Amino acid sequence: MIVANWKMNGSKEEVDSWLRFVSANILINKTIPCVFCPPSCYLDYSSSLIKKISSPVKLGAQNINHSNNSALTGGINSHMLKDFLTDYVLIGHSEQREYLNEDNESLQYKIKDALIKNISPIFCIGEPKNIKDQGNTQDYLRSQLEILNTMDSDQITIAYEPIWAIGTGENADKIYIEEVHSFIKEFCCQELNFKEKVSVVYGGSVKLSNCEEILSSSKVDGLLIGGASLDPETFAKIYNLS
Ligand code: PGA
């Protein structure tokens, strides 16, 4: 899976030209979904355009709210996402954990809620720099993964995004990524008893110049791309190299 995470970027015009360009220029491989996560205000437009131009691109949302309580100003629930034929949703991105104070309880609710609506969660985990430096990455990730305890599902993808690599230009190196992805896969299989092999994608300063090296690892099942996904030409090239 190759995912474009636009964060709080773009305009309707840019969504339009990105979707048209990427749809026309990727060599779609049905086993590698190409997922576009625009800001939520562009989901409706993106969904209509994807349908109109018969695009192979799948739609993803950047978040859902943790409550189905209708009295939540600004809230968007999974039922609404389904209206826009949303197939995927990012849950637990480090920016949301930090700025929106998302905790394990609300993240667990969101994952369950998405699964009930048949929206595939892309569950983001990753350690800050001080945890890496102390050699505590696995313990830190274990505490994030534990919320998947009762949720064996082949619909869940894990996105490993070390916080120190997000938006910094400093990606994790291949050996480190392999080590961490192996740990995640083993943990899901042995301690969470996942029946299927879980897909683990990498995110954090992925760009055209490093994507091939990262993807060459058998432990990497795809990429979650922020900054470099904004340019349709770059993103299409990365997808085609996957
Ligand atoms: P980046 O962001 O590619 O700009 O580092 C990745 C992400 O936060 O999903």
Side-chain angles (χ1 to χ4, degrees):
M1 172 189 300
I2 307 293
V3 186
N5 174 16
W6 268 26
K7 309 192 182 191
M8 200 167 64
N9 290 290
S11 62
K12 189 170 165 186
E13 210 183 327
E14 284 164 336
V15 166
D16 187 283
S17 54
W18 190 97
L19 272 172
R20 287 180 196 278
F21 184 92
V22 171
S23 304
N25 288 280
I26 54 171
L27 309 163
I28 194 76
N29 174 339
K30 290 224 158 48
T31 62
I32 306 177
C34 177
V35 183
F36 177 50
C37 301
S40 54
C41 55
Y42 301 127
L43 284 171
D44 189 14
Y45 184 76
S46 303
S47 171
S48 306
L49 185 59
I50 285 171
K51 203 165 158 203
K52 185 170 154 199
I53 62 176
S54 304
S55 167
V57 173
K58 301 284 182 195
L59 192 58
Q62 292 182 19
N63 202 5
I64 38 172
N65 288 100
H66 72 279
S67 157
N68 265 334
N69 184 343
S70 56
L72 177 61
T73 303
I76 294 179
N77 65 33
S78 53
H79 182 73
M80 296 165 185
L81 294 186
K82 229 29 212 176
D83 267 349
F84 301 130
L85 307 176
T86 309
D87 288 311
Y88 296 90
V89 61
L90 297 174
I91 293 177
H93 193 285
S94 60
E95 287 151 9
Q96 295 174 350
R97 289 179 193 257
E98 182 180 352
Y99 300 123
L100 306 179
N101 294 322
E102 291 191 340
D103 57 15
N104 276 349
E105 197 188 336
S106 64
L107 295 174
Q108 192 174 45
Y109 176 92
K110 289 178 186 205
I111 295 170
K112 284 184 181 161
D113 190 38
L115 288 171
I116 288 168
K117 294 289 186 313
N118 205 24
I119 300 170
S120 301
I122 301 170
F123 180 50
C124 305
I125 59 171
E127 81 287 4
K129 179 101 172 59
N130 62 323
I131 295 289
K132 173 182 184 266
D133 292 346
Q134 290 157 14
N136 290 333
T137 296
Q138 294 194 359
D139 284 346
Y140 192 88
L141 298 182
R142 186 176 285 118
S143 69
Q144 293 183 318
L145 285 167
E146 266 161 3
I147 66 164
L148 302 178
N149 200 1
T150 52
M151 288 191 253
D152 173 24
S153 167
D154 56 4
Q155 263 189 285
I156 299 174
T157 297
I158 311 285
Y160 169 57
E161 296 203 300
I163 298 173
W164 46 270
I166 296 177
T168 59
E170 187 199 331
N171 62 287
D173 64 43
K174 186 177 159 186
I175 293 173
Y176 187 75
I177 296 171
E178 284 195 323
E179 244 174 61
V180 177
H181 281 214
S182 300
F183 163 74
I184 295 169
K185 284 168 186 273
E186 271 169 42
F187 185 81
C188 288
C189 172
Q190 287 166 12
E191 297 191 44
L192 300 179
N193 296 316
F194 274 34
K195 286 182 203 74
E196 304 281 334
K197 278 193 185 139
V198 70
S199 271
V200 184
V201 303
Y202 170 79
S205 294
V206 173
K207 29 189 189 282
L208 198 47
S209 56
N210 61 21
C211 68
E212 272 184 291
E213 160 90 355
I214 296 169
L215 283 168
S216 69
S217 166
S218 61
K219 306 286 177 203
V220 176
D221 300 308
L223 301 168
L224 173 52
I225 312 169
S229 74
L230 295 171
D231 174 45
E233 224 176 304
T234 304
F235 182 79
K237 279 186 187 153
I238 295 176
Y239 180 88
N240 289 339
L241 288 168
S242 70

